[in-house]
Each structure stands twice: as C-alpha cells, then as structure tokens.
Amino acid sequence: MGADKPHAPSCERNRDPILDVLRVHFADRQNVLEIGSGTGQHAVHFAAALPQLLWQCTDRVENLPGIQLWLDEARLSNTPAPIELDVSGTWPIQRYDAVFSANTLHIMGWDEVERLFDHLADITTGDAKLIVYGPFNYGGQYTSESNAAFDQWLQARGAHMRIRDAEAVDALADAAGFKLVDDIAMPANNRCRVWQRQVLVK
C-alpha cells in the first residue's frame, strides 16, 4: 500500500514550519476543515501532532483515494474519511472553527478563489480562524526572484494560475468578515497568513 500512496516532497519540507504556526493559532480550536488536502501528507502529520483537533480532509473527488491511503496507514482517531469539495460545487453543511489550506490559491483561478472566500461565512463559526500557506505578492511585487520564476512556471502551465496579491486576498477575506491577525514568513519565500472571523454583535 505504501508504494501506491501519492507523495509530494514539498510537504515533507514545509510541514514542521507550518505545524509551528498551527500550534499557536489552532491551540484553542476543535474542528478543522482543510481545503485542498492534496496527497493527505499534511493532514496525517498535523492531526498526529495536534490530537485535540478533528481534521477534516477535502479535495476534488479524483484525489480522495490517495488521501484515504495516508489516513488508513496512519490510523488516527481524529481524521475522518475525506470528503469531496470543489470550491465551485457543493460545500459541507457543518460549521468549523478553523480552516486551513496550503498551496491552493495560486493553483485556482481567481474566480475560484473568490468562491472560496464567499463560502467561508456559511461553514465557519463566529470566531473561526483561517490559515493559508503559500507564496504571496505584496504591492504587486514578487518577494524574491524564485517566486517570480515560479509564477512564470505557473502561467506556462495554465493562464488561470498565478501568485496572488496579498492585498487582493485580504479584501476578499474582509468582505467575508475575516480580519488579518498574523502574517508569518516561512521557508522558501512562502507565508502563513492568518485571519480571524469577527463575531457579529447583534
């Protein structure tokens, strides 16, 4: 079974720096929705290290079998079966107090990024936290030569792919009721950006 599991070397490199962020910002969380779980490697690493969290993997249907292989091998009690989630399709009806996504915004088209943020209010609690890991531009500028080269590689793969401007993503988060509370530099010119939903006072 191990030979059949999908594997992304980048997950092995970035999982511990990301875990350091999750230990701080998800310390008081209970239910995490991971959007775009990919191979499932992050899920098993984070769920094993943070057993107080129920970690719900999601991805497009074609990626679910590979995620399930990782979950089956890890046999963790806090990782239920992965569920299908395409940001342009049907979303869960449960509410989560934490949402995590890694290396997804630059793969989605901008319209899909907009749909992701449009749905956040429907699937999160009033004080939910959102953490997104990946590369970002600031002020319309690349933060490194490697990110500029990566962006060119992305656009060669698909015209809809590109590194997103932090300010544009912040505007989507703000419209969804989420305020930026942390922006953490990560290895390889990536960031962990953390937003928290603002509780509405009626």
Side-chain angles (χ1 to χ4, degrees):
M1 183 176 68
D4 296 328
K5 288 186 305 178
H7 182 267
S10 61
C11 288
E12 303 297 322
R13 295 192 296 268
N14 63 36
R15 64 183 189 177
D16 287 322
I18 296 174
L19 178 58
D20 289 340
V21 176
L22 300 184
R23 288 189 190 279
V24 173
H25 284 286
F26 283 178
D28 60 345
R29 307 286 104 175
Q30 294 180 320
N31 295 300
V32 181
L33 180 72
E34 182 181 12
I35 298 175
S37 298
T39 63
Q41 288 167 259
H42 275 160
V44 297
H45 187 69
F46 300 152
L50 302 168
Q52 80 278 9
L53 298 177
L54 185 71
W55 194 280
Q56 179 62 67
C57 294
T58 75
D59 212 303
R60 292 182 171 177
V61 66
E62 62 268 23
N63 294 327
L64 298 186
I67 296 169
Q68 189 66 62
L69 288 174
W70 280 92
L71 300 187
D72 288 345
E73 183 180 76
R75 297 183 180 179
L76 299 171
S77 62
N78 57 334
T79 54
I83 59 176
E84 180 183 357
L85 174 57
D86 185 318
V87 296
S88 300
T90 303
W91 281 68
I93 58 174
Q94 181 178 341
R95 287 186 179 264
Y96 300 84
D97 61 0
V99 178
F100 173 77
S101 195
N103 288 323
T104 55
L105 300 192
H106 57 272
I107 301 299
M108 300 177 187
W110 182 246
D111 60 331
E112 294 175 309
V113 177
E114 291 176 322
R115 290 190 192 105
L116 187 160
F117 281 88
D118 283 345
H119 282 283
L120 284 180
D122 296 330
I123 54 97
T124 55
T125 60
D127 66 342
K129 280 190 172 179
L130 165 68
I131 297 180
V132 174
Y133 168 86
F136 288 90
N137 292 336
Y138 290 82
Q141 301 296 314
Y142 298 115
T143 60
S144 67
E145 291 183 2
S146 63
N147 276 7
F150 178 56
D151 199 43
Q152 292 176 357
W153 179 81
L154 284 171
Q155 292 179 50
R157 288 184 63 199
H160 63 286
M161 299 182 189
R162 65 187 60 239
I163 295 177
R164 303 303 170 188
D165 289 334
E167 295 83 1
V169 176
D170 285 342
L172 295 181
D174 186 71
F178 285 75
K179 303 297 182 183
L180 187 70
V181 295
D182 211 348
D183 186 1
I184 304 154
M186 305 294 282
N189 300 301
N190 288 300
R191 312 291 298 189
C192 260
R193 309 195 82 233
V194 185
W195 298 265
Q196 185 158 18
R197 188 174 179 185
Q198 305 303 297
V199 178
L200 297 177
V201 179
K202 296 183 179 180

